[in-house]
Amino acid sequence: MKIAITSQGNSLESKLDQRFGHCQFFVTYDSDNGTIEIIPNPYHNVEEQAGALAVKLLSSKNVAKIISGEFGLKVKPMLDSLKIQMIILKDDSKTVQTIIEMLNKTYSKEE
Amino acid sequence: MNHSSLYLYRTFARFMPRLKIPRKVNNPPKVKGFKPYGVISEGEKLDPVILNYEEYEALKMCDYDMYNHHQASIMMNVSRPTYTRIYASARMKIAKAFVEGRKIEIEGGKVYFDSNWFYCKSCGCHFNNPEINTSVSACPLCGSSEIEQHFEDTTTSQENINDDMCVCPKCGYTKKHMRGVPCRNERCPSCNTPLVRQNP
């Protein structure tokens, strides 16, 4: 299962971005084989519809869950109808690395 | 609603119709529409009847789930008279489609889809459950089972930006107005005066 995390920078030490559509980078983590991919967000400077465009980008990559600080009002119903789970983490001190470690523990337990 | 439309609404409120409150849809339809078969008078192509999501939901609540209009209106987050109007419109559209042999297409309407939100006590995250049929037992992030259902969705508070208040005219007691419950039917807990509505 693929999980997307919004990130402020292009390394694993960078912190979770609190915005969804306007975040700098998306980090996708595949819990089946442990691969990590860093995608720069092409829409982080777009003024309008950044969230909707980001949803399209991530859904084309078959992401099942998205971890971010906040989701906008337009994004929520879109993700709901696409059956993508939203996880809101208001703690911006966590780095992408720690989140991936947390996910790793959770999904290795399940199998 | 974005900021510019809110600004327009506040400035020209006297000249504009009231904004529609978004209706909550819990169970979106499984199909996109319905088609008649065995049409007797062939040839002319009839326009389909467009049934909105909110109308589908209203019909389902009342005639399939057997809730009364008041209960259903609370679940859709609209007032009881508004619910009844949506329901009446749904029946009219379906009757029209049946009698005239038109297609029914289910689309559009001012709605938002709501899935259940949960809160994890161990890592402090909020998450939703997009699969209505399966239940959630553990946090998707840290795997802890210490989760609780989160009813008051803090993240949709922007949506309730023009929520009205019920105010006591005597002592100034205020509470948040609940749609479907008229303010005058509620009493102030300290001086027992009927409450009145106040716009923010």
Side-chain angles (χ1 to χ4, degrees), chain A residues 70-109:
Chain A
E70 203 167 323
F71 294 93
L73 286 177
K74 286 179 192 161
V75 171
K76 277 187 176 181
M78 283 178 80
L79 291 176
D80 255 342
S81 53
L82 289 167
K83 305 234 162 166
I84 296 174
Q85 188 175 40
M86 293 171 263
I87 302 168
I88 299 175
L89 195 61
K90 291 265 180 210
D91 181 4
D92 54 359
S93 63
K94 280 202 171 71
T95 61
V96 175
Q97 182 76 49
T98 50
I99 293 170
I100 289 179
E101 276 164 18
M102 280 162 87
L103 290 170
N104 220 345
K105 264 186 216 162
T106 315
Y107 292 103
S108 56
K109 240 187 276 170

Side-chain angles (χ1 to χ4, degrees), chain B residues 15-27:
Chain B
F15 317 111
M16 281 172 76
R18 268 181 170 266
L19 291 181
K20 265 188 189 167
I21 287 163
R23 296 89 163 88
K24 185 157 98 184
V25 173
N26 287 316
N27 301 293

